[in-house]
Amino acid sequence: REVRLPPAVKFGVGVVMTEDMLVEQRELRCSEIYNDLLRPFDIPHFMFAWVRKSESKVQTIAIEGTLSHGAFDERAVARFSKVMPHLIRAARMREHFVSVRDSQHAYREAMETLPFGIVVLDEKGQIIEATSIAEEALSLGHALMQRDRRVHAKHTDDDRELQRTTRNAISSPAHTSVSAGTVTVRRVGASALKLTVLPIAAVDRFSM
């Protein structure tokens, strides 16, 4: 029942429209939307633009004006038109961030279901994140511990080998194929742990 919408479809993304560009005033004032919504709520005038328009999704932004405000003039449309490219970019960035957040959540959920702990390190060997199993192992300190945001082994000899293997992994060029290194770490009162140190070649760690 939105009589302004069908004629607005022919306009491209970012083009600012007013009601006068879309429908005759007589037709608008005879419409249900005008008499049931726009006039009772005193929002008969608007500037409108598509932020996104596709077969599966549309996003719009509109500034509404009261009867006393009157129709939006050419100066108002010109000012709004200057802002539209920034609003379009902001909307696209928001979609990207939402997508990354969803991917991160799915990635984290998948990591947590594994029967072993995982620690992700940055290019300096410092901890970015760790799953709950890995965090528990680091906090107990029976074989591993966290110091200066790095993973260390409790025994000196084990730690020396762990740091060497980690350095090799994080210093390997992204375009080369480097096999995983394994380190055996002794544990107090239990069998030893086996640590696998694997370089991630992808820039985006969520692609693992």
Short mmCIF file of all heavy atoms in Angstrom, two decimals, residues 136-203:
data_model
loop_
_atom_site.label_atom_id
_atom_site.label_comp_id
_atom_site.label_asym_id
_atom_site.label_seq_id
_atom_site.Cartn_x
_atom_site.Cartn_y
_atom_site.Cartn_z
N GLU A 136 42.97 -24.43 30.50
CA GLU A 136 43.07 -25.22 31.73
C GLU A 136 44.47 -25.78 31.91
O GLU A 136 45.04 -25.74 32.99
CB GLU A 136 42.04 -26.34 31.72
CG GLU A 136 42.04 -27.18 33.00
CD GLU A 136 41.02 -28.30 32.97
OE1 GLU A 136 40.44 -28.56 31.90
OE2 GLU A 136 40.82 -28.94 34.02
N ALA A 137 45.04 -26.31 30.81
CA ALA A 137 46.39 -26.87 30.88
C ALA A 137 47.41 -25.80 31.26
O ALA A 137 48.33 -26.05 32.07
CB ALA A 137 46.76 -27.51 29.54
N LEU A 138 47.26 -24.59 30.72
CA LEU A 138 48.18 -23.51 31.04
C LEU A 138 48.01 -23.04 32.49
O LEU A 138 49.00 -22.69 33.15
CB LEU A 138 47.95 -22.34 30.08
CG LEU A 138 48.37 -22.57 28.62
CD1 LEU A 138 47.84 -21.44 27.74
CD2 LEU A 138 49.88 -22.68 28.50
N SER A 139 46.78 -23.02 32.97
CA SER A 139 46.54 -22.53 34.34
C SER A 139 46.99 -23.53 35.39
O SER A 139 47.44 -23.14 36.48
CB SER A 139 45.05 -22.21 34.53
OG SER A 139 44.26 -23.38 34.38
N LEU A 140 46.90 -24.84 35.10
CA LEU A 140 47.32 -25.85 36.08
C LEU A 140 48.84 -25.83 36.28
O LEU A 140 49.33 -26.05 37.39
CB LEU A 140 46.89 -27.25 35.62
CG LEU A 140 45.38 -27.54 35.69
CD1 LEU A 140 45.06 -28.89 35.07
CD2 LEU A 140 44.90 -27.50 37.14
N GLY A 141 49.59 -25.60 35.22
CA GLY A 141 51.04 -25.48 35.32
C GLY A 141 51.76 -26.79 35.56
O GLY A 141 52.92 -26.79 35.98
N HIS A 142 51.11 -27.92 35.30
CA HIS A 142 51.76 -29.21 35.50
C HIS A 142 52.78 -29.52 34.41
O HIS A 142 53.75 -30.24 34.65
CB HIS A 142 50.72 -30.34 35.55
CG HIS A 142 49.81 -30.25 36.72
ND1 HIS A 142 48.62 -30.94 36.82
CD2 HIS A 142 49.92 -29.53 37.88
CE1 HIS A 142 48.03 -30.66 37.98
NE2 HIS A 142 48.80 -29.82 38.63
N ALA A 143 52.53 -29.04 33.23
CA ALA A 143 53.46 -29.26 32.12
C ALA A 143 53.71 -27.97 31.35
O ALA A 143 54.81 -27.73 30.87
CB ALA A 143 52.91 -30.33 31.18
N LEU A 144 52.67 -27.16 31.23
CA LEU A 144 52.74 -25.92 30.47
C LEU A 144 52.34 -24.74 31.35
O LEU A 144 51.64 -24.90 32.34
CB LEU A 144 51.81 -25.98 29.26
CG LEU A 144 52.08 -27.08 28.24
CD1 LEU A 144 50.94 -27.16 27.24
CD2 LEU A 144 53.41 -26.86 27.53
N MET A 145 52.78 -23.56 30.95
CA MET A 145 52.40 -22.35 31.67
C MET A 145 52.44 -21.17 30.69
O MET A 145 53.02 -21.26 29.60
CB MET A 145 53.36 -22.09 32.84
CG MET A 145 54.80 -21.83 32.43
SD MET A 145 55.92 -21.80 33.86
CE MET A 145 55.91 -23.52 34.30
N GLN A 146 51.82 -20.09 31.09
CA GLN A 146 51.82 -18.88 30.29
C GLN A 146 52.68 -17.83 30.97
O GLN A 146 52.51 -17.54 32.15
CB GLN A 146 50.39 -18.35 30.11
CG GLN A 146 50.31 -17.08 29.30
CD GLN A 146 48.88 -16.60 29.14
OE1 GLN A 146 47.95 -17.37 29.29
NE2 GLN A 146 48.71 -15.33 28.84
N ARG A 147 53.62 -17.28 30.22
CA ARG A 147 54.49 -16.23 30.75
C ARG A 147 54.75 -15.21 29.65
O ARG A 147 55.16 -15.59 28.55
CB ARG A 147 55.81 -16.82 31.27
CG ARG A 147 56.67 -15.82 32.02
CD ARG A 147 57.82 -16.49 32.75
NE ARG A 147 58.79 -17.08 31.85
CZ ARG A 147 59.05 -18.37 31.76
NH1 ARG A 147 58.39 -19.23 32.53
NH2 ARG A 147 59.97 -18.84 30.92
N ASP A 148 54.50 -13.95 29.95
CA ASP A 148 54.66 -12.88 28.96
C ASP A 148 53.87 -13.18 27.69
O ASP A 148 54.36 -12.97 26.57
CB ASP A 148 56.15 -12.68 28.61
CG ASP A 148 56.96 -12.28 29.83
OD1 ASP A 148 56.42 -11.59 30.71
OD2 ASP A 148 58.15 -12.67 29.90
N ARG A 149 52.65 -13.69 27.87
CA ARG A 149 51.73 -14.01 26.77
C ARG A 149 52.27 -15.09 25.84
O ARG A 149 51.87 -15.20 24.69
CB ARG A 149 51.39 -12.74 25.96
CG ARG A 149 50.53 -11.72 26.69
CD ARG A 149 50.23 -10.54 25.82
NE ARG A 149 49.61 -10.94 24.56
CZ ARG A 149 49.67 -10.23 23.44
NH1 ARG A 149 50.33 -9.08 23.42
NH2 ARG A 149 49.07 -10.65 22.34
N ARG A 150 53.18 -15.90 26.34
CA ARG A 150 53.75 -16.99 25.55
C ARG A 150 53.54 -18.31 26.25
O ARG A 150 53.40 -18.36 27.48
CB ARG A 150 55.25 -16.77 25.31
CG ARG A 150 55.57 -15.48 24.55
CD ARG A 150 57.08 -15.26 24.47
NE ARG A 150 57.38 -13.95 23.90
CZ ARG A 150 57.49 -13.70 22.60
NH1 ARG A 150 57.35 -14.69 21.73
NH2 ARG A 150 57.74 -12.48 22.16
N VAL A 151 53.53 -19.40 25.47
CA VAL A 151 53.41 -20.74 26.02
C VAL A 151 54.80 -21.26 26.36
O VAL A 151 55.70 -21.25 25.51
CB VAL A 151 52.72 -21.70 25.02
CG1 VAL A 151 52.63 -23.10 25.61
CG2 VAL A 151 51.34 -21.18 24.65
N HIS A 152 54.99 -21.68 27.61
CA HIS A 152 56.26 -22.24 28.06
C HIS A 152 56.05 -23.61 28.68
O HIS A 152 54.99 -23.88 29.25
CB HIS A 152 56.93 -21.31 29.08
CG HIS A 152 57.48 -20.04 28.51
ND1 HIS A 152 58.73 -19.96 27.95
CD2 HIS A 152 56.92 -18.81 28.38
CE1 HIS A 152 58.94 -18.72 27.51
NE2 HIS A 152 57.85 -18.01 27.76
N ALA A 153 57.07 -24.46 28.55
CA ALA A 153 57.05 -25.76 29.22
C ALA A 153 57.66 -25.61 30.61
O ALA A 153 58.55 -24.79 30.83
CB ALA A 153 57.83 -26.78 28.40
N LYS A 154 57.20 -26.43 31.54
CA LYS A 154 57.66 -26.34 32.93
C LYS A 154 59.13 -26.72 33.06
O LYS A 154 59.89 -26.06 33.76
CB LYS A 154 56.80 -27.25 33.82
CG LYS A 154 57.10 -27.15 35.30
CD LYS A 154 56.17 -28.02 36.10
CE LYS A 154 56.42 -27.88 37.59
NZ LYS A 154 56.09 -26.54 38.10
N HIS A 155 59.54 -27.78 32.34
CA HIS A 155 60.94 -28.22 32.40
C HIS A 155 61.78 -27.44 31.38
O HIS A 155 61.35 -27.23 30.24
CB HIS A 155 61.04 -29.72 32.13
CG HIS A 155 60.42 -30.54 33.22
ND1 HIS A 155 61.06 -30.83 34.39
CD2 HIS A 155 59.19 -31.12 33.31
CE1 HIS A 155 60.27 -31.56 35.16
NE2 HIS A 155 59.13 -31.75 34.53
N THR A 156 62.98 -27.07 31.79
CA THR A 156 63.84 -26.21 30.96
C THR A 156 64.16 -26.82 29.61
O THR A 156 64.08 -26.15 28.57
CB THR A 156 65.15 -25.90 31.71
OG1 THR A 156 64.84 -25.30 32.97
CG2 THR A 156 66.02 -24.94 30.90
N ASP A 157 64.53 -28.10 29.59
CA ASP A 157 64.88 -28.75 28.32
C ASP A 157 63.69 -28.81 27.38
O ASP A 157 63.83 -28.56 26.17
CB ASP A 157 65.40 -30.17 28.58
CG ASP A 157 66.75 -30.17 29.30
OD1 ASP A 157 67.40 -29.10 29.31
OD2 ASP A 157 67.12 -31.21 29.87
N ASP A 158 62.52 -29.13 27.93
CA ASP A 158 61.31 -29.18 27.11
C ASP A 158 60.98 -27.79 26.56
O ASP A 158 60.58 -27.64 25.40
CB ASP A 158 60.12 -29.69 27.92
CG ASP A 158 60.34 -31.12 28.41
OD1 ASP A 158 61.22 -31.80 27.87
OD2 ASP A 158 59.61 -31.53 29.34
N ASP A 159 61.15 -26.78 27.40
CA ASP A 159 60.83 -25.42 26.99
C ASP A 159 61.77 -24.95 25.88
O ASP A 159 61.34 -24.25 24.95
CB ASP A 159 60.89 -24.47 28.18
CG ASP A 159 60.36 -23.09 27.84
OD1 ASP A 159 59.21 -23.01 27.37
OD2 ASP A 159 61.09 -22.10 28.03
N ARG A 160 63.04 -25.31 25.99
CA ARG A 160 63.99 -24.92 24.96
C ARG A 160 63.57 -25.48 23.60
O ARG A 160 63.61 -24.78 22.57
CB ARG A 160 65.39 -25.41 25.33
CG ARG A 160 66.50 -24.90 24.41
CD ARG A 160 67.87 -25.40 24.83
NE ARG A 160 68.23 -24.91 26.17
CZ ARG A 160 68.34 -25.70 27.24
NH1 ARG A 160 68.11 -27.01 27.15
NH2 ARG A 160 68.67 -25.18 28.41
N GLU A 161 63.16 -26.74 23.58
CA GLU A 161 62.72 -27.37 22.34
C GLU A 161 61.40 -26.76 21.84
O GLU A 161 61.22 -26.55 20.63
CB GLU A 161 62.55 -28.87 22.56
CG GLU A 161 62.11 -29.65 21.33
CD GLU A 161 63.12 -29.60 20.20
OE1 GLU A 161 64.30 -29.24 20.44
OE2 GLU A 161 62.74 -29.91 19.05
N LEU A 162 60.50 -26.44 22.78
CA LEU A 162 59.23 -25.84 22.41
C LEU A 162 59.43 -24.46 21.78
O LEU A 162 58.82 -24.14 20.75
CB LEU A 162 58.32 -25.73 23.63
CG LEU A 162 57.00 -24.99 23.44
CD1 LEU A 162 56.15 -25.65 22.37
CD2 LEU A 162 56.23 -24.91 24.76
N GLN A 163 60.30 -23.65 22.37
CA GLN A 163 60.55 -22.30 21.83
C GLN A 163 61.22 -22.38 20.47
O GLN A 163 60.92 -21.58 19.56
CB GLN A 163 61.40 -21.48 22.81
CG GLN A 163 60.78 -21.29 24.19
CD GLN A 163 59.34 -20.81 24.13
OE1 GLN A 163 58.99 -19.91 23.36
NE2 GLN A 163 58.50 -21.42 24.95
N ARG A 164 62.12 -23.34 20.29
CA ARG A 164 62.80 -23.50 18.99
C ARG A 164 61.79 -23.89 17.91
O ARG A 164 61.79 -23.33 16.80
CB ARG A 164 63.90 -24.57 19.10
CG ARG A 164 64.73 -24.74 17.83
CD ARG A 164 65.61 -25.98 17.90
NE ARG A 164 64.81 -27.20 17.91
CZ ARG A 164 64.26 -27.75 16.83
NH1 ARG A 164 64.41 -27.18 15.63
NH2 ARG A 164 63.55 -28.86 16.91
N THR A 165 60.92 -24.84 18.23
CA THR A 165 59.93 -25.31 17.27
C THR A 165 58.93 -24.20 16.94
O THR A 165 58.53 -24.03 15.78
CB THR A 165 59.18 -26.53 17.83
OG1 THR A 165 60.13 -27.53 18.20
CG2 THR A 165 58.22 -27.11 16.80
N THR A 166 58.57 -23.42 17.95
CA THR A 166 57.63 -22.31 17.72
C THR A 166 58.26 -21.25 16.83
O THR A 166 57.61 -20.72 15.92
CB THR A 166 57.21 -21.69 19.06
OG1 THR A 166 56.61 -22.70 19.89
CG2 THR A 166 56.22 -20.56 18.85
N ARG A 167 59.53 -20.91 17.08
CA ARG A 167 60.22 -19.92 16.25
C ARG A 167 60.26 -20.37 14.80
O ARG A 167 60.07 -19.56 13.88
CB ARG A 167 61.64 -19.67 16.78
CG ARG A 167 61.71 -18.76 18.00
CD ARG A 167 63.13 -18.28 18.24
NE ARG A 167 64.05 -19.40 18.45
CZ ARG A 167 64.31 -19.94 19.64
NH1 ARG A 167 63.70 -19.48 20.73
NH2 ARG A 167 65.15 -20.93 19.75
N ASN A 168 60.53 -21.65 14.58
CA ASN A 168 60.58 -22.17 13.21
C ASN A 168 59.23 -22.01 12.51
O ASN A 168 59.16 -21.68 11.33
CB ASN A 168 60.99 -23.64 13.22
CG ASN A 168 62.45 -23.84 13.58
OD1 ASN A 168 63.24 -22.90 13.53
ND2 ASN A 168 62.81 -25.05 13.98
N ALA A 169 58.17 -22.25 13.26
CA ALA A 169 56.83 -22.18 12.67
C ALA A 169 56.44 -20.75 12.32
O ALA A 169 55.94 -20.47 11.23
CB ALA A 169 55.81 -22.79 13.62
N ILE A 170 56.66 -19.82 13.25
CA ILE A 170 56.20 -18.44 13.02
C ILE A 170 57.12 -17.67 12.08
O ILE A 170 56.71 -16.65 11.53
CB ILE A 170 56.05 -17.67 14.35
CG1 ILE A 170 57.42 -17.53 15.05
CG2 ILE A 170 55.04 -18.32 15.25
CD1 ILE A 170 57.34 -16.74 16.34
N SER A 171 58.33 -18.16 11.86
CA SER A 171 59.25 -17.46 10.96
C SER A 171 59.21 -18.01 9.54
O SER A 171 59.87 -17.47 8.64
CB SER A 171 60.69 -17.55 11.48
OG SER A 171 61.12 -18.91 11.51
N SER A 172 58.42 -19.05 9.30
CA SER A 172 58.37 -19.64 7.96
C SER A 172 57.58 -18.73 7.03
O SER A 172 56.52 -18.22 7.40
CB SER A 172 57.71 -21.02 8.02
OG SER A 172 56.38 -20.91 8.51
N PRO A 173 58.08 -18.48 5.81
CA PRO A 173 57.34 -17.65 4.84
C PRO A 173 55.97 -18.24 4.54
O PRO A 173 55.79 -19.45 4.51
CB PRO A 173 58.24 -17.68 3.60
CG PRO A 173 59.60 -18.05 4.11
CD PRO A 173 59.36 -18.96 5.28
N ALA A 174 54.99 -17.36 4.33
CA ALA A 174 53.60 -17.80 4.14
C ALA A 174 53.44 -18.66 2.89
O ALA A 174 52.57 -19.51 2.83
CB ALA A 174 52.68 -16.59 4.07
N HIS A 175 54.30 -18.43 1.87
CA HIS A 175 54.12 -19.13 0.60
C HIS A 175 54.79 -20.50 0.58
O HIS A 175 54.64 -21.25 -0.38
CB HIS A 175 54.66 -18.29 -0.56
CG HIS A 175 56.13 -18.00 -0.45
ND1 HIS A 175 56.61 -16.93 0.29
CD2 HIS A 175 57.20 -18.64 -0.97
CE1 HIS A 175 57.94 -16.93 0.20
NE2 HIS A 175 58.31 -17.94 -0.55
N THR A 176 55.54 -20.85 1.64
CA THR A 176 56.23 -22.13 1.66
C THR A 176 55.43 -23.15 2.47
O THR A 176 54.66 -22.79 3.36
CB THR A 176 57.63 -21.99 2.28
OG1 THR A 176 57.51 -21.50 3.62
CG2 THR A 176 58.48 -21.05 1.48
N SER A 177 55.63 -24.41 2.13
CA SER A 177 54.96 -25.49 2.85
C SER A 177 55.89 -25.99 3.96
O SER A 177 56.97 -26.52 3.70
CB SER A 177 54.60 -26.62 1.88
OG SER A 177 54.03 -27.70 2.58
N VAL A 178 55.46 -25.80 5.21
CA VAL A 178 56.26 -26.22 6.35
C VAL A 178 55.51 -27.28 7.13
O VAL A 178 54.34 -27.09 7.47
CB VAL A 178 56.57 -25.01 7.28
CG1 VAL A 178 57.40 -25.46 8.47
CG2 VAL A 178 57.29 -23.92 6.50
N SER A 179 56.16 -28.41 7.37
CA SER A 179 55.49 -29.48 8.11
C SER A 179 55.40 -29.12 9.59
O SER A 179 56.16 -28.31 10.10
CB SER A 179 56.27 -30.79 7.94
OG SER A 179 57.60 -30.63 8.42
N ALA A 180 54.44 -29.73 10.25
CA ALA A 180 54.23 -29.48 11.67
C ALA A 180 55.38 -30.03 12.49
O ALA A 180 55.96 -31.07 12.17
CB ALA A 180 52.91 -30.11 12.11
N GLY A 181 55.73 -29.31 13.56
CA GLY A 181 56.74 -29.79 14.48
C GLY A 181 56.07 -30.35 15.73
O GLY A 181 55.02 -29.87 16.15
N THR A 182 56.66 -31.37 16.30
CA THR A 182 56.09 -31.96 17.51
C THR A 182 57.11 -31.88 18.65
O THR A 182 58.32 -32.03 18.44
CB THR A 182 55.70 -33.43 17.30
OG1 THR A 182 56.84 -34.17 16.85
CG2 THR A 182 54.59 -33.54 16.26
N VAL A 183 56.60 -31.62 19.84
CA VAL A 183 57.43 -31.50 21.03
C VAL A 183 56.79 -32.32 22.15
O VAL A 183 55.58 -32.20 22.39
CB VAL A 183 57.57 -30.03 21.48
CG1 VAL A 183 58.43 -29.93 22.74
CG2 VAL A 183 58.13 -29.17 20.37
N THR A 184 57.57 -33.14 22.81
CA THR A 184 57.08 -33.90 23.96
C THR A 184 57.40 -33.13 25.23
O THR A 184 58.55 -32.73 25.46
CB THR A 184 57.74 -35.29 24.02
OG1 THR A 184 57.43 -36.00 22.82
CG2 THR A 184 57.22 -36.08 25.21
N VAL A 185 56.40 -32.90 26.04
CA VAL A 185 56.54 -32.09 27.26
C VAL A 185 56.18 -32.96 28.47
O VAL A 185 55.09 -33.52 28.54
CB VAL A 185 55.63 -30.85 27.20
CG1 VAL A 185 55.71 -30.06 28.50
CG2 VAL A 185 56.00 -29.96 26.02
N ARG A 186 57.14 -33.07 29.40
CA ARG A 186 56.89 -33.87 30.60
C ARG A 186 55.86 -33.19 31.49
O ARG A 186 55.80 -31.97 31.57
CB ARG A 186 58.19 -34.07 31.37
CG ARG A 186 59.14 -35.08 30.72
CD ARG A 186 60.53 -35.00 31.31
NE ARG A 186 61.23 -33.81 30.81
CZ ARG A 186 62.49 -33.51 31.15
NH1 ARG A 186 63.15 -34.27 32.01
NH2 ARG A 186 63.07 -32.44 30.63
N ARG A 187 55.06 -34.03 32.17
CA ARG A 187 54.00 -33.52 33.02
C ARG A 187 54.13 -34.12 34.42
O ARG A 187 54.42 -35.31 34.57
CB ARG A 187 52.64 -33.89 32.41
CG ARG A 187 51.46 -33.36 33.17
CD ARG A 187 50.18 -33.40 32.37
NE ARG A 187 49.97 -34.66 31.66
CZ ARG A 187 48.80 -35.03 31.14
NH1 ARG A 187 47.76 -34.23 31.25
NH2 ARG A 187 48.70 -36.17 30.51
N VAL A 188 53.93 -33.31 35.44
CA VAL A 188 54.06 -33.75 36.82
C VAL A 188 52.97 -34.76 37.16
O VAL A 188 51.78 -34.48 37.00
CB VAL A 188 53.98 -32.55 37.78
CG1 VAL A 188 54.05 -33.02 39.24
CG2 VAL A 188 55.09 -31.56 37.50
N GLY A 189 53.38 -35.95 37.59
CA GLY A 189 52.43 -36.96 38.06
C GLY A 189 51.55 -37.56 37.00
O GLY A 189 50.50 -38.14 37.34
N ALA A 190 51.90 -37.45 35.73
CA ALA A 190 51.08 -38.01 34.66
C ALA A 190 51.94 -38.23 33.44
O ALA A 190 53.12 -37.87 33.41
CB ALA A 190 49.91 -37.07 34.33
N SER A 191 51.36 -38.87 32.43
CA SER A 191 52.09 -39.10 31.20
C SER A 191 52.37 -37.77 30.49
O SER A 191 51.70 -36.77 30.73
CB SER A 191 51.30 -40.05 30.29
OG SER A 191 50.03 -39.49 30.00
N ALA A 192 53.38 -37.82 29.62
CA ALA A 192 53.80 -36.60 28.93
C ALA A 192 52.74 -36.12 27.94
O ALA A 192 51.88 -36.88 27.50
CB ALA A 192 55.12 -36.84 28.21
N LEU A 193 52.82 -34.85 27.62
CA LEU A 193 51.96 -34.25 26.59
C LEU A 193 52.72 -34.16 25.28
O LEU A 193 53.94 -33.96 25.28
CB LEU A 193 51.53 -32.85 27.00
CG LEU A 193 50.63 -32.69 28.23
CD1 LEU A 193 50.38 -31.21 28.49
CD2 LEU A 193 49.33 -33.43 28.07
N LYS A 194 52.01 -34.31 24.20
CA LYS A 194 52.62 -34.10 22.89
C LYS A 194 52.03 -32.83 22.29
O LYS A 194 50.81 -32.72 22.12
CB LYS A 194 52.37 -35.28 21.97
CG LYS A 194 52.95 -35.07 20.56
CD LYS A 194 52.79 -36.29 19.68
CE LYS A 194 53.83 -37.35 20.04
NZ LYS A 194 53.83 -38.47 19.07
N LEU A 195 52.88 -31.87 21.96
CA LEU A 195 52.45 -30.61 21.38
C LEU A 195 52.77 -30.61 19.88
O LEU A 195 53.90 -30.94 19.49
CB LEU A 195 53.16 -29.43 22.04
CG LEU A 195 52.54 -28.88 23.33
CD1 LEU A 195 52.52 -29.93 24.42
CD2 LEU A 195 53.31 -27.66 23.79
N THR A 196 51.81 -30.26 19.08
CA THR A 196 52.01 -30.12 17.64
C THR A 196 51.99 -28.63 17.32
O THR A 196 51.03 -27.93 17.63
CB THR A 196 50.90 -30.83 16.86
OG1 THR A 196 50.91 -32.22 17.19
CG2 THR A 196 51.12 -30.67 15.35
N VAL A 197 53.07 -28.13 16.72
CA VAL A 197 53.20 -26.71 16.37
C VAL A 197 53.07 -26.60 14.86
O VAL A 197 53.91 -27.09 14.11
CB VAL A 197 54.54 -26.14 16.85
CG1 VAL A 197 54.60 -24.64 16.57
CG2 VAL A 197 54.73 -26.41 18.34
N LEU A 198 51.99 -25.94 14.43
CA LEU A 198 51.66 -25.92 13.01
C LEU A 198 51.52 -24.48 12.53
O LEU A 198 50.70 -23.72 13.05
CB LEU A 198 50.34 -26.66 12.77
CG LEU A 198 49.81 -26.72 11.34
CD1 LEU A 198 50.74 -27.55 10.48
CD2 LEU A 198 48.41 -27.30 11.32
N PRO A 199 52.30 -24.06 11.52
CA PRO A 199 52.15 -22.70 10.98
C PRO A 199 50.87 -22.57 10.18
O PRO A 199 50.46 -23.51 9.47
CB PRO A 199 53.38 -22.52 10.09
CG PRO A 199 53.76 -23.91 9.70
CD PRO A 199 53.37 -24.81 10.85
N ILE A 200 50.23 -21.43 10.29
CA ILE A 200 49.02 -21.15 9.51
C ILE A 200 49.43 -20.23 8.37
O ILE A 200 49.81 -19.09 8.60
CB ILE A 200 47.94 -20.48 10.37
CG1 ILE A 200 47.63 -21.35 11.59
CG2 ILE A 200 46.68 -20.21 9.57
CD1 ILE A 200 46.73 -20.67 12.60
N ALA A 201 49.33 -20.73 7.15
CA ALA A 201 49.80 -19.95 6.01
C ALA A 201 48.80 -18.86 5.64
O ALA A 201 49.18 -17.80 5.14
CB ALA A 201 50.01 -20.87 4.81
N ALA A 202 47.49 -19.07 5.89
CA ALA A 202 46.48 -18.10 5.49
C ALA A 202 46.58 -16.84 6.31
O ALA A 202 46.87 -16.87 7.51
CB ALA A 202 45.08 -18.70 5.65
N VAL A 203 46.36 -15.69 5.66
CA VAL A 203 46.36 -14.42 6.36
C VAL A 203 45.21 -14.38 7.37
O VAL A 203 45.35 -13.88 8.49
CB VAL A 203 46.24 -13.25 5.37
CG1 VAL A 203 46.11 -11.92 6.11
CG2 VAL A 203 47.44 -13.23 4.44
#
